[in-house]
């Protein structure tokens, strides 16, 4: 997030798009409630009717995958009425003309035709967002998990910059991270092209610095993303995979495809708390310690790095992930002799000058610190880009709307989207074993509008067969009148009705390589 | 105060003392024991308040014979009275050290200044239930409007069960909120208003108005007001004042009085195991 | 008798709420919201309140496992580490470091993610390192 949670409460308007916040980030939803009750306006755009929709001043259900059109439509209205922040655009941004040129064609009427949102509502959204500064924009996977994910994100930024909302308290463009330490995993260089703090592996200086610190010459060619690893596994280019704390078999976009890829490996090593779907097919499984059984730090969505503390001994012979990695490295003739997680943190911060350098375990305390925190006197940074953007001037991107990779047709007439249930998390390995969470949703299901259900002659709890171009599955029906007719919703947590049996591994965002989990075309019929 | 705790521990008056310790600027609840008497110098009484009486009940489930000391405010004392009546603890098992932080005199259920809700925003004032209002103000509203306002509050619920989890009086082994015949599972908001009303009804004769539930509610639903209404009714209809004494059972309105010789439930349960 | 409350951070979603682990006699018996934490101010969602349940689950892995002839058998750490190191080294020798991929975790700590990418880059010698957060 460019801003902090506290900041949200000071917003004049909050625009939530592609985030079912009360279910997926409940304690951020609380800040939205508070802002709203203080008097802030709330706009909610989601293909489904979600809990926040009922509280919103303006609530729309745009067609799945039509986000760019909707955002362009709002910007069209803003420009037509002269609501844009002209001074801000002049002094702090560039390339606005290119954007304006594209926006011309996105009249509310045309956008209505694409998105299904009434022209009047688009005008209302635009007015509400532009006339109640500062306006904060929140999004989650509903924006990113598309073939046009990067376009969607850029459109969100366009809108925010157009109204002067980036770099101000109470504003910002705020992606909510799905898993607890996504931010940290990226910051720490858990990416094929960068070291910690986003220092490129191909940058000669950075590479030399890390090579010296780690005592080995390091490869400078960016590696493969997970989406590229799968074909490489199928081609036999990747022979071994070491999976730490993840369950890609259930989270990868295409179950069948991924399964083949795993079978093709010579060696699969899994490290987890549980025998997850992925661990079951591994050659070696390492038992890892849980969050209560080790020390370390996590970095949350507002870039706050905070400490976790060991409360109990690990169960059985489980070990903290860092201890396992150290032992494996040592066995492979690269001795790692860390005595504590704190020593690793010290090594990391010395190599990460701009963001983490000023953090020490003592300074972090319980509250943690928000990066950038370049030196040990620095108080941390509640919001980014307050003086200027990281790259100087904020750049507008002229983005045209494109259809999702797959649109419903005669064979597969329904839109399918995937997502989370409030009581579960990710692939369910942690939450489904928890009694109180299991009570809320013990099995997978598919949400369907009662009208559609009547058409295919099924009722609550009846089994249906869902099929797509990739595969098919049987799953029980749950009626949900808040879902527009013609759309289905499938939770991602359940191995026995795995959403990735239906989704596609080929529909990827060309840049971010994020699969299009949020839109697929499927057929649904009564199970015989 | 620190000295009293030390004496209690060294002389064996209590086996463990539940209070707070400052950790990196945060008051954290802590069980002080004989083994680390030095820690007691770091003991503080606030400012944050946790459900110490609930922790004591939980400890007694694990160690039925333990003698426990706790820091007690007015609400803690009321809670212990009700827990005794409901046979979750036996009288004398818990020794209290009074820290009367609340301005309220012991025994009367007046507000704790600490619990006064922060100023209510314009939207909430117009559409929701303002926790700083008195029950009387609320009751003067037309019935329909009152209903709408409560429904506005309930529909924000994210079903965290925090109100139940934190409540010292929610000690049931199976909770009705997780009974599918009463409250449906798996969606947000939960079935309203039944989810909240089931709990409200259970709080009759139990809620001691400590406000912990409201403090734990992420949706800022003025839960305490709901339960206060119920206990108001207990007072006016049955002359029953929840938490005011450790002897008056809510069943006394039926005319009977439980024999005081009954062992506490916790001891009985552990015997059955 | 021991009763302590250990401050930590919820490991479910990316909000990062402050929690207290409730520990009695070395056993984890509950999770509570930290009242004074800047992120969640004394509140949690259903996942946070039940964080201890997955940790206490009977299904937790307690020993390293190696699969032989399609079946897992329990081994000790030395065996598991030696076996894995040998097999990885053989693969690297025969097919080069880029024949190995490492998936780090959006659920592990910063320290562990740092170490995992260091492992991939310095020990194996590949930049084939990614996390699953896109998924
Ligand atoms: S809500 Fe009712 S059933 Fe549930 S624990 Fe509380 S009193 Fe018991
Ligand atoms: S105020 Fe809330 S937490 Fe306290 S006893 Fe009443 S219901 Fe329980
Ligand atoms: S604490 Fe509030 S949000 Fe949580 S279940 Fe209770 S009423 Fe609902
Ligand atoms: S308690 Fe809930 S909102 Fe807070 S970090 Fe955990 S899962 Fe996220």
């Amino acid at each position: 997030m460019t801003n902090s949670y506290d900041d949200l409460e000071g917003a004049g308007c909050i625009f939530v798009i592609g985030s079912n916040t009360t279910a997926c980030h409940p304690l951020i939803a609380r800040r939205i409630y508070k802002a709203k009750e203080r008097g802030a306006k709330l706009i909610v755009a989601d293909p489904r009717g979600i809990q926040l929709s009922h509280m919103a001043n303006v609530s729309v259900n745009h067609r799945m995958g039509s986000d760019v059109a909707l955002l362009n439509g709002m910007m069209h209205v803003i420009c037509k009425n002269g609501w844009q922040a002209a001074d801000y655009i002049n002094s702090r941004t560039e390339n606005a003309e290119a954007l304006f040129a594209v926006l011309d064609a996105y009249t509310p009427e045309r956008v209505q035709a694409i998105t299904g949102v009434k022209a009047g509502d688009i005008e209302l959204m635009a007015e509400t967002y532009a006339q109640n500064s500062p306006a904060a924009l929140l999004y989650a996977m509903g924006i990113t998990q598309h073939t046009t994910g990067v376009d969607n994100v850029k459109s969100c930024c366009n809108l925010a910059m157009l109204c002067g909302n980036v770099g101000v308290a109470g504003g910002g463009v705020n992606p909510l991270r799905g898993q607890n330490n996504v931010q940290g995993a990226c910051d720490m260089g858990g990416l094929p092209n960068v070291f910690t703090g986003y220092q490129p592996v191909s940058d000669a200086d950075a590479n030399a610095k890390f090579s010296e610190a780690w005592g080995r010459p390091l490869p400078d060619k960016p590696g493969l993303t997970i989406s590229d690893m799968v074909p490489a596994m199928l081609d036999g280019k990747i022979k071994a995979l070491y999976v730490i704390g993840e369950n890609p078999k259930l989270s990868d976009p295409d179950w069948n495809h991924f399964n083949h890829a795993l079978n093709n490996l010579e060696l699969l090593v899994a490290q987890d708390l549980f025998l997850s779907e992925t661990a079951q097919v591994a050659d070696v499984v390492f038992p890892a310690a849980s969050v209560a059984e080790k020390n370390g730090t996590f970095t949350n969505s507002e870039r706050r790095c905070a400490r976790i503390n060991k409360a109990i001994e690990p169960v059985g012979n489980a070990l903290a992930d860092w201890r396992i990695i150290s032992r494996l490295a040592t066995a492979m003739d690269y001795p790692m002799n860390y005595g504590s997680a704190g020593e690793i943190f010290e090594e990391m911060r010395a190599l990460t000058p701009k963001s983490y350098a000023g953090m020490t375990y003592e300074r972090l305390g319980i509250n943690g610190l928000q990066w950038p925190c370049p030196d040990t006197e620095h108080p941390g940074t509640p919001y980014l880009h307050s003086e200027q953007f990281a790259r100087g001037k904020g750049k507008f991107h002229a983005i045209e709307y494109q259809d999702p990779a797959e649109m419903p047709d005669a064979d597969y007439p329904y839109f399918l989207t995937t997502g989370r249930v409030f009581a579960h998390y990710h692939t369910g390995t942690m939450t489904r074993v928890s009694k109180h969470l299991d009570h809320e949703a013990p099995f997978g299901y598919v949400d369907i509008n009662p009208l559609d259900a009547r058409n295919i002659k099924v009722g609550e709890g009846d089994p249906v067969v869902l099929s797509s171009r990739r595969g098919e599955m049987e799953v029980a029906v749950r009626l949900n009148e808040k879902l527009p007719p013609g759309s289905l919703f499938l939770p991602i947590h359940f191995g026995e009705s795995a959403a990735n049996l239906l989704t596609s591994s080929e529909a990827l965002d060309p840049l971010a390589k994020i699969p299009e989990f949020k839109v697929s075309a499927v057929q649904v019929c009564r199970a015989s | 105060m620190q000295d009293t705790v030390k004496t209690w521990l060294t002389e064996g008056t209590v086996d463990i003392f539940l209070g707070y310790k400052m950790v990196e600027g945060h008051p954290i609840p802590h069980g002080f024991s004989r083994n680390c008497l030095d820690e007691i110098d770091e003991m503080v009484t606030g400012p944050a308040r946790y459900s110490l009486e609930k922790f004591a009940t939980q400890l007694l489930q694990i160690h039925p014979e333990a003698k426990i000391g706790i820091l007690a405010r007015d609400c803690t004392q009321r809670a212990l009275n009700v827990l005794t009546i409901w046979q979750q603890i036996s009288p004398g098992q818990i020794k209290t050290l009074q820290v009367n932080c609340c301005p309220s005199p012991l025994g009367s259920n007046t507000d704790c200044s600490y619990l006064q809700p922060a100023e209510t925003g314009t939207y909430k004032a117009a559409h929701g239930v303002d926790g700083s209002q008195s029950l009387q103000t609320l009751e003067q509203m037309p019935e329909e409007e009152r209903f709408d306002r409560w429904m506005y509050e309930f529909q924000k619920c994210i079903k965290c069960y925090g109100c139940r989890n934190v409540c010292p009086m929610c000690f049931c082994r199976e909770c009705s909120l997780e009974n599918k015949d009463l409250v449906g599972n798996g969606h947000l908001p939960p079935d309203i208003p039944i989810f909240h009303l089931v709990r409200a009804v259970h709080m009759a004769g139990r809620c001691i108005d400590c406000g912990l539930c409201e403090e734990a509610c992420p949706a800022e639903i003025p839960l305490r007001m709901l339960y206060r209404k119920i206990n108001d009714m207990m007072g006016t209809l049955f002359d029953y004042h929840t938490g005011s004494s450790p002897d008056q059972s809510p069943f006394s309105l039926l005319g009977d009085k439980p024999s005081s010789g009954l062992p506490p439930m916790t001891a009985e349960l552990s015997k059955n195991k | 008798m021991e009763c302590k409350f250990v401050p930590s951070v919820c490991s479910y979603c990316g909000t990062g709420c402050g929690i207290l682990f409730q520990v009695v006699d070395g056993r984890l018996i509950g999770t509570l919201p930290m009242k004074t934490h800047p992120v969640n101010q004394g509140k949690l969602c259903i996942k946070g309140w039940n964080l201890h349940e997955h940790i206490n689950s009977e299904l937790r892995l307690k020993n390293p496992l190696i699969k032989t002839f399609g079946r897992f058998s329990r081994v000790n750490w030395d065996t598991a580490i030696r076996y894995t190191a040998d097999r990885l080294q053989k693969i690297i020798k025969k097919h080069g470091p880029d024949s190995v991929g490492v998936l780090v975790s959006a659920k592990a700590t910063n320290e562990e993610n740092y170490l995992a990418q260091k492992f991939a880059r310095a020990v194996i010698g590949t930049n084939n390192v990614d996390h699953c957060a896109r998924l």
Side-chain angles (χ1 to χ4, degrees):
Chain A
M1 292 176 48
T2 55
N3 291 53
S4 310
Y5 304 152
D6 277 344
D7 238 45
L8 279 177
E9 290 179 28
C13 170
I14 296 182
F15 177 23
V16 179
I17 181 165
S19 156
N20 186 4
T21 326
T22 60
C24 304
H25 299 90
L27 271 287
I28 293 175
R30 159 182 153 72
R31 305 297 186 121
I32 302 177
Y33 287 165
K34 286 185 82 174
K36 164 86 194 170
E37 296 190 335
R38 226 201 58 252
K41 298 282 187 279
L42 177 62
I43 309 172
V44 178
D46 199 284
R48 302 185 285 151
I50 55 174
Q51 190 175 10
L52 274 183
S53 308
H54 304 287
M55 285 192 82
N57 297 78
V58 196
S59 157
V60 300
N61 301 131
H62 58 301
R63 202 213 65 220
M64 284 172 204
S66 66
D67 306 79
V68 168
L70 184 69
L71 292 164
N72 278 352
M74 285 173 72
M75 288 187 265
H76 175 100
V77 176
I78 289 170
C79 292
K80 208 173 81 189
N81 290 286
W83 292 328
Q84 71 272 35
D87 289 347
Y88 181 96
I89 296 172
N90 283 337
S91 61
R92 298 191 52 186
T93 69
E94 60 191 29
N95 209 28
E97 288 65 36
L99 175 71
F100 295 153
V102 164
L103 292 182
D104 247 6
Y106 288 84
T107 60
E109 293 66 31
R110 177 165 169 239
V111 173
Q112 171 171 347
I114 302 174
T115 62
V117 177
K118 289 201 201 76
D121 283 344
I122 296 165
E123 282 161 0
L124 192 59
M125 286 168 82
E127 182 177 351
T128 311
Y129 181 84
Q131 302 284 59
N132 293 285
S133 297
L137 192 151
L138 293 185
Y139 70 81
M141 251 64 128
I143 280 290
T144 52
Q145 286 180 341
H146 289 281
T147 43
T148 57
V150 169
D151 285 355
N152 290 353
V153 171
K154 284 182 180 161
S155 296
C156 289
C157 295
N158 284 345
L159 175 65
M161 289 196 299
L162 190 67
C163 296
N165 280 322
V166 181
V168 297
V173 181
N174 302 289
L176 305 181
R177 305 296 188 174
Q179 299 183 59
N180 66 316
N181 205 26
V182 177
Q183 184 69 55
C186 298
D187 295 348
M188 291 301 115
L191 293 166
N193 56 341
V194 290
F195 296 115
T196 62
Y198 308 94
Q199 305 171 67
V201 292
S202 52
D203 179 276
D205 291 341
N207 199 293
K209 178 175 85 175
F210 278 87
S211 296
E212 196 195 319
W214 293 349
R216 290 234 173 138
L218 301 174
D220 58 3
K221 192 170 83 38
L224 302 177
T225 64
I226 172 156
S227 303
D228 291 331
M229 281 186 210
V230 178
M233 279 150 64
L234 285 167
D235 294 348
K237 287 198 198 93
I238 287 203
K239 302 279 183 196
L241 191 66
Y242 179 19
V243 183
I244 302 172
E246 292 285 357
N247 187 9
K249 195 164 166 191
L250 207 54
S251 59
D252 187 86
D254 186 335
W255 171 291
N256 292 320
H257 190 69
F258 191 72
N259 220 9
H260 282 304
L262 286 185
N263 287 338
N264 235 15
L265 288 172
E266 272 180 36
L267 178 69
L268 175 61
V269 183
Q271 184 164 313
D272 208 323
L273 302 182
F274 298 99
L275 202 59
S276 66
E277 282 83 355
T278 306
Q280 281 164 27
V281 298
D283 300 287
V284 185
V285 181
F286 294 141
S290 72
V291 56
E293 299 160 344
K294 61 187 180 188
N295 293 320
T297 56
F298 287 144
T299 304
N300 74 1
S301 288
E302 57 172 358
R303 296 167 280 104
R304 184 189 296 275
C305 176
R307 286 170 63 183
I308 61 163
N309 296 298
K310 182 169 167 180
I312 54 168
E313 290 302 320
V315 297
N317 290 315
L319 285 179
D321 289 302
W322 63 267
R323 289 190 190 273
I324 305 175
I325 299 168
S326 303
R327 288 184 70 161
L328 192 57
T330 308
M332 292 175 71
D333 312 316
Y334 186 100
M336 286 190 185
N337 300 311
Y338 301 103
S340 68
E343 284 177 24
I344 305 172
F345 192 86
E346 284 298 311
E347 176 180 319
M348 179 281 294
R349 79 182 184 94
L351 290 164
T352 317
K354 291 205 184 89
S355 44
Y356 282 83
M359 299 183 190
T360 65
Y361 268 25
E362 291 67 39
R363 284 198 78 206
L364 291 178
I366 282 177
N367 290 352
L369 282 167
Q370 288 170 278
W371 65 252
C373 178
D375 61 69
T376 49
E377 303 299 314
H378 195 281
T381 310
Y383 56 91
L384 291 178
H385 313 310
S386 64
E387 297 301 323
Q388 60 173 191
F389 294 101
R391 53 180 296 283
K393 288 196 163 191
K395 185 172 181 189
F396 282 107
H397 294 268
I399 312 263
E400 292 280 4
Y401 164 75
Q402 287 171 34
D403 278 341
E406 204 172 53
M407 289 288 274
D409 54 22
D411 294 335
Y412 298 98
Y414 288 84
F415 272 115
L416 174 82
T417 193
T418 65
R420 293 167 183 224
V421 181
F422 77 100
H424 284 300
Y425 171 71
H426 210 49
T427 61
T429 38
M430 284 149 83
T431 50
R432 292 190 78 193
V433 301
S434 172
K435 185 174 128 232
H436 288 95
L437 301 178
D438 185 60
H439 164 82
E440 296 297 335
F443 309 109
Y445 56 82
V446 62
D447 268 351
I448 181 167
N449 184 285
L451 293 173
D452 291 333
R454 201 175 328 140
N455 285 340
I456 60 166
K457 301 192 176 55
V458 292
E460 180 84 24
D462 289 347
V464 290
V465 174
L466 287 183
S467 50
S468 77
R469 288 185 177 82
R470 273 73 51 189
E472 65 169 46
M473 69 155 110
E474 200 173 296
V475 61
V477 153
R478 209 180 72 165
L479 301 180
N480 181 351
E481 71 284 359
K482 289 172 197 146
L483 199 66
S487 313
L488 306 169
F489 169 76
L490 188 67
I492 60 170
H493 319 286
F494 304 96
E496 71 278 7
S497 47
N500 63 351
L501 278 169
L502 303 175
T503 49
S504 166
S505 65
E506 275 151 34
L508 293 179
D509 182 281
L511 276 174
K513 311 276 173 155
I514 298 181
E516 187 146 62
F517 283 119
K518 296 297 179 192
V519 197
S520 317
V522 297
Q523 174 61 291
V524 55
C525 56
R526 214 187 137 87
S528 50
Chain B
M1 187 187 67
Q2 270 93 347
D3 291 338
T4 317
V5 176
K6 274 187 199 166
T7 318
W8 283 4
L9 283 168
T10 40
E11 290 180 355
T13 320
V14 298
D15 303 316
I16 194 158
F17 187 88
L18 297 172
Y20 303 98
K21 195 168 86 172
M22 256 324 166
V23 181
E24 289 165 0
H26 294 261
I28 305 286
H30 186 69
F32 296 92
S33 72
R34 210 162 292 143
N35 307 337
C36 325
L37 286 176
D38 290 350
E39 273 183 348
I40 298 171
D41 297 327
E42 300 162 43
M43 190 171 87
V44 291
T45 58
R49 189 178 52 132
Y50 288 79
S51 191
L52 295 182
E53 53 276 21
K54 184 154 197 160
F55 304 154
T57 329
Q58 288 166 335
L59 270 177
L60 285 176
Q61 268 159 26
I62 300 168
H63 296 284
E65 308 301 330
K67 286 174 286 177
I68 300 174
I70 69 173
L71 278 182
R73 307 181 185 200
D74 289 6
C75 48
T76 317
Q77 196 54 57
R78 297 196 295 271
L80 293 176
N81 287 345
V82 179
L83 287 168
T84 310
I85 290 166
W86 290 84
Q87 300 179 352
Q88 297 301 303
I89 58 176
S90 58
Q93 238 183 329
I94 297 187
K95 199 164 163 57
T96 54
L97 187 65
Q98 213 68 37
V99 277
N100 209 1
C101 62
C102 316
S104 63
L106 192 67
S108 88
N109 300 356
T110 46
D111 275 347
C112 212
S113 62
Y114 179 68
L115 291 168
Q116 286 303 340
E119 79 289 8
T120 306
T122 47
Y123 189 90
K124 181 138 169 162
H127 300 277
V129 177
D130 182 341
S132 58
Q133 277 169 340
S134 70
L135 269 178
Q136 287 73 11
T137 329
L138 192 68
E139 273 164 7
Q140 273 152 19
M141 286 179 190
E143 223 166 89
E144 207 172 305
E145 184 185 344
R146 231 187 313 151
F147 182 78
D148 283 350
R149 283 172 177 258
W150 278 112
M151 287 303 271
Y152 164 77
E153 296 292 344
F154 294 156
Q155 53 113 12
K156 293 184 295 179
C157 175
I158 57 157
K159 214 180 185 193
C160 67
Y161 293 95
C163 45
R164 175 201 66 187
N165 295 350
V166 82
C167 174
M169 298 307 141
C170 273
F171 43 69
C172 308
R173 305 214 311 152
E174 297 224 350
C175 174
S176 305
L177 300 178
E178 282 159 317
N179 178 335
K180 285 183 213 167
D181 297 330
L182 281 171
V183 184
N185 61 339
H187 42 85
L188 286 185
D191 295 349
I192 54 172
I194 190 74
F195 180 87
H196 302 88
L197 294 189
V198 164
R199 201 173 118 74
V201 168
H202 293 188
M203 286 303 119
R206 261 161 105 162
C207 171
I208 44 83
D209 206 15
C210 68
L212 285 169
C213 51
E214 194 169 306
E215 273 182 32
C217 179
E220 269 162 76
I221 304 173
L223 296 165
R224 202 173 165 217
M225 192 181 274
L226 198 62
Y227 311 142
R228 197 184 287 164
K229 172 68 194 165
I230 304 240
N231 278 296
D232 244 33
M233 285 156 65
M234 291 293 284
T236 43
L237 293 177
F238 303 117
D239 198 25
Y240 184 76
H241 303 282
T242 311
S244 58
S245 98
D247 324 301
Q248 193 195 7
S249 150
F251 304 118
S252 59
L253 62 98
L254 301 173
D256 69 340
K257 203 172 188 281
S259 75
S260 47
L262 275 180
M265 290 265 269
T266 46
E268 195 157 88
L269 285 175
S270 66
K271 238 183 282 158
N272 292 347
K273 272 185 215 157
Chain C
M1 195 187 329
E2 174 215 38
C3 170
K4 62 175 184 180
F5 297 81
V6 182
S8 197
V9 178
C10 175
S11 63
Y12 279 130
C13 84
T15 308
C17 295
I19 55 161
L20 294 176
F21 281 125
Q22 187 179 5
V23 180
V24 173
D25 304 334
R27 276 186 44 232
L28 190 58
I29 68 160
T31 315
L32 301 166
M34 198 190 300
K35 290 260 163 158
T36 44
H37 198 276
V39 169
N40 55 314
Q41 303 156 332
K43 301 127 206 310
L44 290 177
C45 79
I46 185 170
K47 291 178 288 257
W49 273 107
N50 293 297
L51 189 61
H52 59 287
E53 286 194 336
H54 85 275
I55 296 167
N56 288 334
S57 165
E58 281 300 309
L59 298 171
R60 282 283 301 279
L61 290 168
K62 300 189 183 67
N63 288 289
L65 305 171
I66 289 182
K67 198 180 269 167
T68 35
F69 301 112
R71 293 192 57 177
F72 279 123
S73 41
R74 266 192 232 164
V75 295
N76 63 26
W77 274 109
D78 286 339
T79 315
I81 293 284
R82 190 69 264 156
Y83 175 83
T84 312
D86 286 347
R87 293 211 38 196
L88 277 174
Q89 279 174 326
K90 269 193 206 116
I91 291 172
I92 295 168
K93 208 162 166 199
K94 194 156 153 216
H95 305 283
D98 284 334
S99 66
V100 181
V102 176
L103 294 182
V104 305
S105 174
K107 301 189 204 88
T109 61
N110 289 331
E111 290 75 1
E112 289 160 349
N113 277 299
Y114 169 79
L115 220 55
Q117 57 101 24
K118 179 175 177 183
F119 178 83
R121 296 189 159 117
V123 182
I124 297 176
T126 180
N127 280 318
N128 291 341
V129 45
D130 200 5
H131 62 80
C132 292
R134 294 190 181 84
L135 310 179

